[in-house]
Amino acid sequence: MKSKLLLFTGIIFLVVGILLKKITEMASFGLLLIIIGASFKLLYILLKIKSGAYKPGKELLFLVLGLLLFFSGLYLRGQDESFINPVYLMVLGITLKFIFIIKFIQIIKSNKPVT
């Protein structure tokens, strides 16, 4: 249960950070919360790997490609000239990250001991 608390705390920090960044003047504090939330989620995945509940596989490609596309879209959004609409890259990146989350949950649930 402690590891799930870490995951949900990370998600809450992410959401609050995004809201603070978008609707208030506290953009740098919001960015700090986003970084902390992402770190908690990464720590959760690393703890699952260490415990043996999750063995990394090809689904990590979805996460890596999703992050690359998302951050590329963020970067291109600030540029005047881009060959593709950055929103498409960001949406595709979020979709790939979502696919990773679904696969990750399926793997974790399939490795749970039956009681």
Side-chain angles (χ1 to χ4, degrees), residues 15-28:
V15 170
V16 171
I18 291 169
L19 290 174
L20 285 176
K21 197 166 173 359
K22 290 292 181 185
I23 61 175
T24 69
E25 299 293 321
M26 300 188 302
S28 48

Side-chain angles (χ1 to χ4, degrees), residues 29-104:
F29 183 64
L31 182 61
L32 177 67
L33 289 179
I34 291 170
I35 292 169
I36 291 171
S39 299
F40 279 11
K41 288 175 34 178
L42 177 64
L43 182 60
Y44 174 78
I45 293 171
L46 292 175
L47 289 173
K48 287 296 182 183
I49 291 170
K50 185 178 178 184
S51 73
Y54 172 66
K55 292 182 180 149
K58 294 179 183 176
E59 70 280 347
L60 276 179
L61 289 175
F62 288 117
L63 178 62
V64 172
L65 287 174
L67 288 170
L68 286 172
L69 287 170
F70 180 76
F71 288 126
S72 296
L74 283 178
Y75 173 76
L76 289 175
R77 193 172 66 172
Q79 303 298 316
D80 289 336
E81 296 179 33
S82 61
F83 55 95
I84 188 169
N85 189 344
V87 173
Y88 296 143
L89 294 176
M90 293 168 58
V91 168
L92 182 57
I94 290 171
T95 303
L96 290 174
K97 286 173 51 178
F98 186 71
I99 291 170
F100 167 77
I101 292 168
I102 292 171
K103 297 295 288 179
F104 179 79

